[in-house]
Amino acid sequence: LVAAAVVATMALERFEPRLICMSGICGGVGGDSEMYDLLVTQICHQHDAGKWSSEGFKSEHFDVQLDVDVHSKLIELCSDTSLVKSLCEGIVPNRSEFPKGKEQISCNVRAEAVTSSGSAVVAQDGKTQTLASGQRKLAGFDMEVYSIYEAARHAVNKPAFFAAKAVVDDGGKNKGDKFHRIGCLISAKFIVNAIQAGIADVGSR
């Protein structure tokens, strides 16, 4: 989170871009997200902010959300069935890159995903349910999106901003990297489509 905030802030101040966005990979909350689902974050929480006491960890609620116009444009893009179908086209998976029980790769696009960010890697069974506690619609978690959104929100010359990440694990003990390559390709292809569709011209400055 700190590194992402520093880099994003420096880039915003130095280059004054019309758009700052992030592709990549994330964890998914079991039962709400499947492998390779693309989560387009509408609202992002910071799940490791709070206070440790003798009673355990009590979280402090911080969240940031997309600009309404940017969000509307993303919903429009995600409703384009040909765009969604194209995200997996041309990707040739290795045998180990098929999710368990699947004979082909596919992805669902979540245009209004609620996600959370924290500085620590989540690789413990049951931990995602702890993160989801009190967050009824939490779909995924990562380590950077909250910082990117906050940096953009506080920029002097406010750019359009958004993030789209593909689910590659559930944060359990079997967390690995065999799905990372395809997850990165799917999310990057969506970002490129969004840029080509003029998302940079939607946000306020």
Side-chain angles (χ1 to χ4, degrees):
L1 284 174
V2 174
V6 170
V7 172
T9 299
M10 290 180 65
L12 287 163
E13 290 181 351
R14 182 168 298 180
F15 302 112
E16 298 185 1
R18 290 183 293 128
L19 169 71
I20 184 168
C21 58
M22 188 173 199
S23 65
I25 55 176
C26 65
V29 175
D32 289 293
S33 302
E34 297 184 2
M35 202 67 68
Y36 296 139
D37 278 1
L38 187 72
L39 306 183
V40 182
T41 298
Q42 178 193 6
I43 300 174
C44 190
H45 306 286
Q46 183 182 357
H47 60 246
D48 59 0
K51 178 181 180 180
W52 283 100
S53 70
S54 59
E55 299 175 353
F57 182 73
K58 294 184 178 180
S59 63
E60 188 77 25
H61 187 79
F62 294 106
D63 63 62
V64 60
Q65 64 185 51
L66 291 179
D67 175 83
V68 173
D69 292 335
V70 172
H71 182 219
S72 297
K73 181 65 174 181
L74 289 168
I75 290 176
E76 177 187 327
L77 289 170
C78 293
S79 65
D80 184 342
T81 55
S82 62
L83 185 155
V84 174
K85 183 180 179 181
S86 73
L87 297 179
C88 291
E89 289 180 350
I91 297 177
V92 181
N94 298 315
R95 185 178 301 176
S96 63
E97 293 175 311
F98 287 100
K100 186 177 181 180
K102 301 286 186 178
E103 296 182 354
Q104 61 182 7
I105 62 169
S106 62
C107 78
N108 299 306
V109 179
R110 306 275 295 276
E112 300 181 80
V114 176
T115 67
S116 70
S117 299
S119 294
V121 174
V122 178
Q124 177 185 346
D125 284 347
K127 187 64 176 177
T128 57
Q129 297 309 314
T130 302
L131 299 182
S133 178
Q135 306 293 344
R136 183 171 62 88
K137 297 183 178 181
L138 188 68
F141 52 92
D142 81 319
M143 299 175 70
E144 303 93 4
V145 171
Y146 181 85
S147 286
I148 302 296
Y149 280 23
E150 275 290 81
R153 190 169 71 92
H154 290 287
V156 174
N157 296 294
K158 290 180 173 57
F161 63 90
F162 75 99
K165 291 194 171 189
V167 173
V168 295
D169 64 68
D170 63 359
K173 65 181 180 181
N174 296 318
K175 181 183 178 74
D177 58 7
K178 64 181 179 180
F179 301 123
H180 288 193
R181 182 184 73 92
I182 290 179
C184 287
L185 290 172
I186 289 172
S187 62
K189 289 175 76 172
F190 179 84
I191 293 287
V192 169
N193 275 282
I195 292 172
Q196 291 176 336
I199 193 77
D201 299 319
V202 175
S204 60
R205 289 182 59 82

